Amino acid sequence: MTFFRWAGAALLCVAALSGHAQDNFPNKTIRIVIPYAAGGGVDAAARLVAQSLGDAMGQSVIVEAKPGGNTVIGASTVARAAPDGYTLLLTGGSTMTLLPLTQAKLAFDPLKDFAPIGLVSRLPFFLTVSSTQPYKTVKELFADPKMKDGSLAYASNGVGSMAHVGTEMLVQSAGAKMIHVPYNGFTLAIADLVTGRAIMVMADLAPLSGQIKSGGLRPLAVASLKRSPFLPDVPTLAEAGYPGTEYEVWLALYAPAGTPAGVLKRLSGELEKALAVPATREAFAKLGHESDFVGPEGIRQRIQAEQKAFAPAVRAAGLAAPTN
């Protein structure tokens, strides 16, 4: 056999083996890495995905927490993993949209090093004030003269968080000047909102619902494009007079770039079917998530659009990565 015939036969053999591997996928445990601590909201959502995918595909799917580095450690682990569909990443949109804007030497490229599988869920964020305050609308809130002199503060769950950048977008749009008070999580932020140290906070329902139900807090608007089914009477920011300031936290599932198309198609299809099951949607709703599948191309478009939309707010907040 000549060299060229041997090489051709070898290539055909590799292609056949690759196709066979895709046809048999999955034939071992799939691992979903989350770049957050175990026991939190993302962990709970990932376990719902793991259970649903495992049941649908007849294979064990486990969740592994790899927190640290503002989600960089876990995301980098998956970016470097074998592109075979057995190591996946479930992370918030900020990993793909905010980190490239705030870190000069990011260990991965969101659009080149990952293959999106599907959007899993969205967490609507609500602009909320204390019920002891007189504001009934967002317009009334920003009409307060103190919004111009920088004496009022808004709270967030941390510097560079989605709540921080999202609130900055709104503050800029309103022409206001405010103090940012970051906290390690929403619990203390909301406590200071109730007592009046902070004038407003934008957060998801999990930390807000108790105070909203008891009447301690008043939601003025939801930051999503559409009204939330959780609080359907609350207008969107666009309806409240501030279009272009929409944002939300969202979770999506990714594989390493280079994962075979057949494997990606199988994972995406099974995820879409799993998220359409009423019991799964109800389970996500209990976590404060709106289960809402979006395909791979929609995720890529969302990443690009959000990076463009968030860039001015990131610069205004002094969070932009150095250019040199």
Side-chain angles (χ1 to χ4, degrees):
M1 180 181 292
T2 67
F3 170 78
F4 293 106
R5 287 182 179 176
W6 176 87
L11 287 172
L12 288 173
C13 182
V14 169
L17 288 173
S18 176
H20 182 69
Q22 292 183 51
D23 292 340
N24 288 340
F25 178 84
N27 56 27
K28 62 180 181 179
T29 298
I30 297 173
R31 179 175 58 135
I32 297 178
V33 174
I34 59 168
Y36 307 92
V42 176
D43 182 51
R47 293 184 187 281
L48 280 177
V49 172
Q51 180 180 342
S52 299
L53 280 181
D55 292 344
M57 304 180 80
Q59 187 57 256
S60 176
V61 181
I62 62 172
V63 176
E64 179 179 344
K66 281 188 173 294
N70 196 14
T71 75
V72 170
I73 292 176
S76 299
T77 297
V78 177
R80 296 191 301 265
D84 54 13
Y86 291 100
T87 303
L88 309 177
L89 172 71
L90 191 144
T91 190
S94 60
T95 299
M96 305 299 180
T97 60
L98 289 183
L99 289 185
L101 300 176
T102 59
Q103 296 199 17
K105 296 182 179 180
L106 192 59
F108 56 84
D109 185 312
L111 295 171
K112 294 180 180 179
D113 294 331
F114 295 98
I117 293 169
L119 191 144
V120 171
S121 64
R122 298 177 292 110
L123 287 80
F125 268 44
F126 293 86
L127 173 61
T128 310
V129 298
S130 170
S131 295
T132 61
Q133 299 291 347
Y135 319 115
K136 298 296 192 300
T137 67
V138 185
K139 286 287 188 181
E140 289 181 7
L141 172 64
F142 283 107
D144 189 322
K146 292 182 180 179
M147 282 289 187
K148 302 294 185 181
D149 63 18
S151 63
L152 296 179
Y154 71 85
S156 84
N157 59 331
V159 173
S161 65
M162 190 68 84
H164 178 196
V165 176
T167 308
E168 274 297 325
M169 282 201 304
L170 176 61
V171 170
Q172 290 174 39
S173 177
K177 183 179 180 182
M178 300 186 71
I179 301 168
H180 172 226
V181 182
Y183 294 81
N184 184 19
F186 278 122
T187 301
L188 292 176
I190 292 170
D192 276 1
L193 179 66
V194 172
T195 59
R197 183 181 178 192
I199 199 71
M200 69 183 195
V201 70
M202 296 185 80
D204 63 286
L205 272 184
L208 291 173
S209 59
Q211 285 285 351
I212 291 176
K213 289 178 181 178
S214 69
L217 294 179
R218 179 185 302 126
L220 300 184
V222 64
S224 304
L225 283 169
K226 299 179 180 179
R227 292 193 182 198
S228 170
F230 299 135
L231 294 175
D233 294 332
V234 176
T236 65
L237 283 173
E239 291 173 329
Y242 298 91
T245 60
E246 302 86 5
Y247 79 97
E248 59 195 356
V249 170
W250 49 279
L251 302 178
L253 192 64
Y254 305 84
T259 300
V263 171
L264 293 173
K265 184 177 180 180
R266 175 82 193 280
L267 286 166
S268 184
E270 295 294 353
L271 178 63
E272 182 176 13
K273 287 189 289 185
L275 294 178
V277 174
T280 304
R281 298 178 70 86
E282 290 173 8
F284 271 107
K286 290 179 180 178
L287 298 176
H289 295 229
E290 296 176 18
S291 180
D292 187 16
F293 178 83
V294 175
E297 186 55 35
I299 293 176
R300 293 187 188 95
Q301 292 174 358
R302 185 166 188 148
I303 290 171
Q304 292 170 325
E306 288 194 356
Q307 286 182 357
K308 183 178 180 180
F310 292 151
V314 167
R315 289 193 294 270
L319 301 172
T323 57
N324 50 28

